[in-house]
Amino acid sequence: MARLVMKFGGTSVANIERIRNVARHVRREVEAGFEVAVVVSAMSGKTNELVGWVNDADKHYDPCEYDAVVASGEQVTSGLLAIVLQEMGIPARSWQGWQIPIETDGAHGAARIARIDGANLGEAFSRKEVAVIAGFQGIDPATGRLTTLGRGGSDTSAVAIAAAIKADRCDIYTDVDGVYTTDPRVVPKARRLDRIAFEEMLEMASLGAKVLQVRSVEMAMIHGVKTFVRSSFDDPANPQPGTLICDEEDIVEQQVVTGIAFSKDEAQLTLRKVADKPGVAAAIFQPLAEANVNVDMIIQVVSDDAKTTDITFTVPAAEFERARAILEGAKAEIGFSTLQASTDVVKVSAIGVGMRSHSGVAAAAFRALAEKGVNIRAITTSEIKFSVLIDAAYTELAVRTLHSLYGLDKA
Ligand code: ADP
Ligand code: ASP
Ligand code: MG
């Protein structure tokens, strides 16, 4: 029998009425003859509240207990959806990560799925039950402790389960009706895409489009899971297909640029008057690497006096204070005059597999942004994307400018 995974995010299960609406979508697929596994997130806002409580309890919390607390939001919604389905006459049973089990490594707060045993779910299907699975959580078999998969991790739970049970499809239901050329809440002219290539979706997600968690896209790509992003707010009796994440070859009309993403989760650090001699870059970046700080964009200015230079780079906002402390601590070894820092920056990126075969794509953006008076602080490029770091105040202007420049605005 054909199998289906349906995942519902936080806004889709925000209250009991919405959970009833989710149940109607599930009923439609059960009636169409699918064996259905449903993955649910916590009610919207719940995980933030739980994270807040953990931080209030102790800023230097035990990550293992962080997981014990934040995984609870999904436990609630899985039980509630099972109750609502049963009330509609559809046999259903909730499953926590440890009951399946979804085995992960021991990286609490950002665990990776290692293995999923599909046997229990297979038995649930043979009992004609819908399996309602708490997303975002797993178990580390080495310790028997509960783990969570990082923010937005229910997407990854869904795709991983789809791969494990060899589902025909994984439908990610959310509060927008698909993947757009950029965040439709920021750019009203954003266009919904019928299809987007795995590699492009991977870049969009890693560069800030939170519609899918990065790991879920990786997982779909590796295991060839047919994944759709669609809306839970569609009429359950008449749903739209949404956006298919697929192989590049399956896209007929390929644009040069497919989408624009942006991330405010960036911080910029500049070291002034660093000695311009061999070994300095190592002195700066080695201690950061050892502390697992992810350095992203790096710019080193060529000095005019051949004695000192300035080095600018970015780190994730969450790692900013740690990075600053490490650099101040290594000031004597590095030898710089001042450390300047800014968290008021945003990284705006353009993504498209068409960039491989077109030149001048980034240059056009630099010109267009300059014409709008947007100053670029740093640039990075790779095969299918480029990114610029700018002042956060210009986010919308820059995103809209690039969106129009590459012909992405809807008619
Ligand atoms: P869920 O709670 O269902 O997991 P998320 O809030 O994680 O939903 O992701 C959906 C949100 O992603 C949308 O509301 C939208 O604002 C945002 N988003 C950002 N970039 C995009 C994009 N390119 N296409 C669609 N949505 C996007
Ligand atoms: N509830 C978790 C979060 O808010 C997981 C998810 O929604 O995917 O990050
Ligand atoms: Mg999400």
Side-chain angles (χ1 to χ4, degrees):
M1 224 166 137
R3 289 180 173 173
L4 178 63
V5 172
M6 307 172 76
K7 180 257 169 178
F8 294 89
T11 16
S12 307
V13 294
N15 54 47
I16 303 298
E17 197 34 57
R18 294 218 179 135
I19 292 178
R20 282 213 176 87
N21 181 59
V22 162
R24 289 182 201 112
H25 282 285
V26 175
R27 180 172 58 194
R28 178 190 68 239
E29 303 295 0
V30 170
E31 286 173 354
F34 283 103
E35 292 177 337
V36 179
V38 189
V39 173
V40 284
S41 292
M43 291 178 171
S44 64
K46 193 34 121 181
T47 310
N48 286 346
E49 183 182 40
L50 296 169
V51 171
W53 289 347
V54 171
N55 279 303
D56 285 351
D58 181 6
K59 283 246 170 308
H60 307 285
Y61 53 76
D62 172 355
C64 180
E65 299 308 338
Y66 164 96
D67 280 348
V69 176
V70 303
S72 64
E74 275 71 11
Q75 174 159 348
V76 172
T77 42
S78 60
L80 288 173
L81 178 57
I83 291 172
V84 169
L85 284 165
Q86 289 170 5
E87 189 269 332
M88 284 180 167
I90 301 165
R93 185 56 75 210
S94 67
W95 292 86
Q96 306 310 299
W98 62 270
Q99 290 171 309
I100 290 179
I102 297 177
E103 294 181 2
T104 71
D105 62 15
H108 287 284
R112 287 170 79 97
I113 296 175
R115 206 179 77 90
I116 297 180
D117 187 340
N120 281 328
L121 294 178
E123 282 174 30
F125 294 145
S126 52
R127 290 192 297 270
K128 303 266 175 248
E129 272 172 24
V130 171
V132 186
I133 300 163
F136 185 46
Q137 46 164 277
I139 182 173
D140 173 9
T143 57
R145 303 299 310 182
L146 213 145
T147 54
T148 63
L149 310 179
R151 298 306 305 271
S154 299
D155 298 328
T156 303
S157 309
V159 176
I161 288 162
I165 65 171
K166 300 194 169 44
D168 293 50
R169 220 169 71 214
C170 179
D171 287 346
I172 308 277
Y173 287 83
T174 182
D175 54 6
V176 285
D177 59 357
V179 178
Y180 279 69
T181 46
T182 191
D183 190 337
R185 296 188 196 286
V186 172
V187 180
K189 285 183 181 164
R191 223 171 353 107
R192 195 183 60 76
L193 298 161
D194 285 335
R195 292 174 173 225
I196 182 168
F198 284 120
E199 278 188 70
E200 291 172 329
M201 192 62 237
L202 201 55
E203 292 287 3
M204 292 275 280
S206 11
L207 294 167
K210 69 164 186 166
V211 60
L212 287 177
Q213 198 197 33
V214 179
R215 272 295 286 153
S216 72
V217 187
E218 261 168 25
M219 190 94 76
M221 190 159 116
I222 294 167
H223 297 284
V225 177
K226 196 170 177 191
T227 304
F228 287 85
V229 173
R230 53 196 300 191
S231 172
S232 71
F233 295 102
D234 281 351
D235 176 1
N238 184 26
Q240 300 305 305
T243 301
L244 172 65
I245 327 291
C246 62
D247 288 325
E248 206 178 311
E249 298 76 56
D250 298 331
I251 298 175
V252 189
E253 274 184 62
Q254 190 67 63
Q255 308 266 347
V256 177
V257 171
T258 304
I260 311 291
F262 57 92
S263 163
K264 294 187 175 162
D265 177 36
E266 309 287 323
Q268 179 191 332
L269 292 153
T270 299
L271 295 172
R272 298 275 180 216
K273 292 205 166 38
V274 183
D276 194 8
K277 60 174 194 224
V280 165
I284 297 169
F285 297 115
Q286 189 67 33
L288 293 173
E290 278 163 11
N292 287 324
V293 173
N294 283 307
V295 174
D296 180 15
M297 308 169 116
I298 303 179
I299 294 185
Q300 176 168 354
V301 181
V302 179
S303 59
D304 24 332
D305 58 3
K307 286 192 191 119
T308 62
T309 179
D310 293 345
I311 295 187
T312 293
F313 55 92
T314 63
V315 298
E319 291 168 18
F320 168 65
E321 287 301 345
R322 221 150 49 84
R324 179 148 76 173
I326 291 167
L327 293 169
E328 292 290 4
K331 187 167 181 180
E333 294 91 274
I334 303 169
F336 56 88
S337 69
T338 46
L339 170 57
Q340 291 173 337
S342 170
T343 49
D344 229 3
V345 290
V346 63
K347 182 167 73 175
V348 178
S349 309
I351 296 114
V353 289
M355 282 191 209
R356 283 198 204 109
S357 48
H358 287 78
S359 56
V361 181
F366 305 153
R367 207 175 316 116
L369 291 172
E371 277 163 16
K372 298 276 181 184
V374 179
N375 185 37
I376 299 173
R377 292 165 173 247
I379 300 170
T380 51
T381 64
S382 74
E383 211 188 11
I384 66 161
K385 63 126 211 268
F386 70 86
S387 305
V388 294
L389 190 75
I390 61 167
D391 289 352
Y394 294 111
T395 310
E396 285 190 36
L397 176 63
V399 173
R400 285 177 195 199
T401 301
L402 299 189
H403 198 265
S404 303
L405 175 72
Y406 297 118
L408 300 175
D409 291 353
K410 73 176 168 209

